[in-house]
Amino acid sequence: MNPDLDALKPYPFEKLAVLKAEVTPPALSPIALSIGEPRHAPPTAVLKALRRFEGEVARYPATAGLPELRDAIARWATQRYALTSGSLDPARHVLPVNGTREAIFAFVQTALDRTRPAKVAMPNPFYQIYEGATLLAGGEPLYLDCAPENGCLPDLGSVPAATWRDVQLVFVCSPGNPTGAVTPLAEYQKLIALADEHDFLIASDECYSELYLDEAAPPPGLLEACRSLGRDDYRRCLVFHSLSKRSNLPGLRSGFVAGDAELIAPFKRYRTYHGCAMPLTTQHASIVAWNDETHVHANRDAYREKFSAVGEILAPVMDFPTPRASFYLWPAVPGGDDEAFARDLFAEEHVTVLPGRYMSRDGAQGNPGAGRVRLALVAELDATVEAAWRIRRFIERHA
């Protein structure tokens, strides 16, 4: 077996299962705020498309995807990020993928050059696929702490030039998981300048991009930063998008990668061997989803209502940064022990949350996730509000 498998860390939910294993919760309805799985209803039009094109399962799909799907994606991204008309060529700059998780993992295997030092920089806390993909590609993770005093964003200026020299790939996650922080356009521009100076690639995970609280302020993205710099070739840059959060379709496993054509071409070649072409039925349904914004607006409205209600309930007893986007809260726990908080909350209130340290790695300043928990506001409004009241009751009981 590949010895690099031994370097993989347990997934956060494996650790959570162990933490809860010896605990018997009370006879209350269970409420899980731990997993970022959208629970809102999928768009009806997408479900109809799945039924309408179900016969397409009898055909092999092409790795490049249907031209109609690539066209829909390119139109959506051009409008969303105000890209130069025609600069995002559906044939050269866009590749449909089976969700961002699969694509992120596969791209790291494609991108890293094992013949030289291969550091991969990633935010800390982070989505663990960044780390696992790096380790299995023979790379070395470089954890960039996301401290509250820096807006829960990595401090790019703290990385020495000698370290940048060995970096081959940098991950951005904006809006951030678990912090909800949004990378400003100027920060993207700074990162692009560093990439040019030190010769590394940028992979921007933007799967939460359409879940933002201020309708007038959608989060910027890496392609938008390229456009602002006149880089219509998107050199060194790739973005990863998904329908899972935007359209409440986590089981559809549908997303796309877009950007530098010189990166898309070898990635497509890798995927041809990998055998991970998107099923045609899924592609047709995805076209419907990317072409419609009405359900996305309704989705944001539902999350805003939950953030408002939960924030009002928990603000008196928990300290958390005000999220600009995503569906997470990232509060500090009273007493500072996130594992004990999660375990005891489950034991007393049958509410499951994720300890922050399970999403982070120790650095020079300690573990940036320790002392916090991630709350995923994915359930329907009533259940989410009920969970918030149980958390408050739990905290006040132990105050």
Side-chain angles (χ1 to χ4, degrees):
M1 299 297 290
N2 184 345
D4 290 337
L5 286 166
D6 294 333
L8 297 181
K9 312 291 194 300
Y11 213 61
F13 303 110
E14 295 177 57
K15 296 180 182 178
L16 183 61
V18 172
L19 182 69
K20 295 165 54 179
E22 302 301 321
V23 176
T24 302
L28 296 168
S29 59
I31 305 177
L33 303 182
S34 51
I35 300 178
E37 180 182 57
R39 303 292 178 82
H40 298 171
T44 301
V46 174
L47 300 181
K48 288 181 178 178
L50 286 170
R51 291 189 288 270
R52 186 164 71 252
F53 292 99
E54 63 184 7
E56 294 285 356
V57 297
R59 298 173 55 208
Y60 279 123
T63 301
L66 293 168
E68 297 87 349
L69 175 56
R70 296 197 306 271
D71 287 345
I73 290 167
R75 284 195 303 271
W76 177 84
T78 297
Q79 181 177 8
R80 169 64 172 81
Y81 295 107
L83 305 181
T84 304
S85 179
S87 68
L88 196 69
D89 183 346
R92 298 175 60 247
H93 296 121
V94 174
L95 189 61
V97 296
N98 294 310
T100 52
R101 177 175 181 157
E102 175 268 321
I104 285 168
F105 182 88
F107 179 68
V108 179
Q109 313 313 303
T110 311
L112 294 196
D113 178 359
R114 289 172 175 257
T115 67
R116 60 188 178 91
K119 292 184 185 294
V120 177
M122 60 195 69
N124 188 30
F126 58 91
Y127 181 43
Q128 197 159 320
I129 299 303
Y130 309 153
E131 178 190 67
T134 298
L135 294 170
L136 283 175
E140 177 188 352
L142 173 63
Y143 306 108
L144 305 180
D145 289 357
C146 299
E149 53 268 26
N150 196 48
C152 293
L153 297 170
D155 182 4
L156 300 176
S158 68
V159 180
T163 300
W164 281 127
R165 182 187 60 209
D166 293 337
V167 170
Q168 294 191 25
L169 176 65
V170 173
F171 273 110
V172 180
C173 184
S174 180
N177 172 13
T179 66
V182 170
T183 300
L185 195 66
E187 198 73 3
Y188 274 121
Q189 293 168 340
K190 182 191 302 183
L191 186 58
I192 291 170
L194 285 168
D196 287 344
E197 180 181 356
H198 299 287
D199 189 25
F200 60 74
L201 307 180
I202 306 170
S204 187
D205 180 356
E206 301 176 11
C207 70
Y208 297 95
S209 69
E210 304 314 288
L211 305 183
Y212 47 92
L213 298 184
D214 183 352
E215 195 66 31
L222 181 60
L223 298 185
E224 184 178 354
C226 288
R227 188 265 304 160
S228 73
L229 296 171
R231 296 169 70 106
D232 287 346
D233 61 356
Y234 311 108
R235 188 163 181 254
R236 303 183 188 278
C237 297
L238 283 185
V239 298
F240 295 75
H241 280 265
S242 169
L243 290 175
S244 295
K245 279 73 176 178
R246 173 189 181 270
S247 300
N248 303 313
L249 293 165
L252 193 66
R253 309 315 303 138
S254 178
F256 70 84
V257 179
D260 187 345
E262 299 301 316
L263 301 178
I264 291 287
F267 188 36
K268 176 184 167 186
R269 185 165 68 249
Y270 171 92
R271 295 176 66 77
T272 300
Y273 277 84
H274 195 134
C276 48
M278 185 188 296
L280 288 166
T281 304
T282 301
Q283 292 191 49
H284 285 289
S286 300
I287 292 169
V288 173
W290 289 116
N291 281 337
D292 178 61
E293 290 295 322
T294 302
H295 74 276
V296 187
H297 284 276
N299 202 30
R300 283 198 291 270
D301 287 342
Y303 282 116
R304 286 190 194 103
E305 187 176 11
K306 284 191 283 188
F307 270 111
S308 177
V310 171
E312 184 175 338
I313 294 166
L314 293 182
V317 294
M318 300 188 90
D319 177 40
F320 45 84
T322 301
R324 285 187 54 194
S326 83
F327 46 49
Y328 298 118
L329 279 183
W330 184 237
V333 300
D337 188 336
D338 49 307
E339 279 190 311
F341 182 92
R343 182 194 62 229
D344 295 345
L345 175 66
F346 179 73
E348 296 183 28
E349 297 291 349
H350 214 165
V351 173
T352 303
V353 299
L354 187 66
R357 72 182 65 201
Y358 292 178
M359 300 192 69
S360 310
R361 298 290 177 255
D362 291 341
Q365 306 301 317
N367 186 313
R372 294 184 177 273
V373 291
R374 190 184 76 173
L375 311 182
L377 307 188
V378 292
E380 293 297 340
L381 178 64
D382 289 349
T384 305
V385 168
E386 169 65 18
W389 279 117
R390 291 190 202 176
I391 293 170
R392 179 165 172 173
R393 183 170 66 199
F394 170 78
I395 292 172
E396 290 177 339
R397 186 163 59 243
H398 291 275

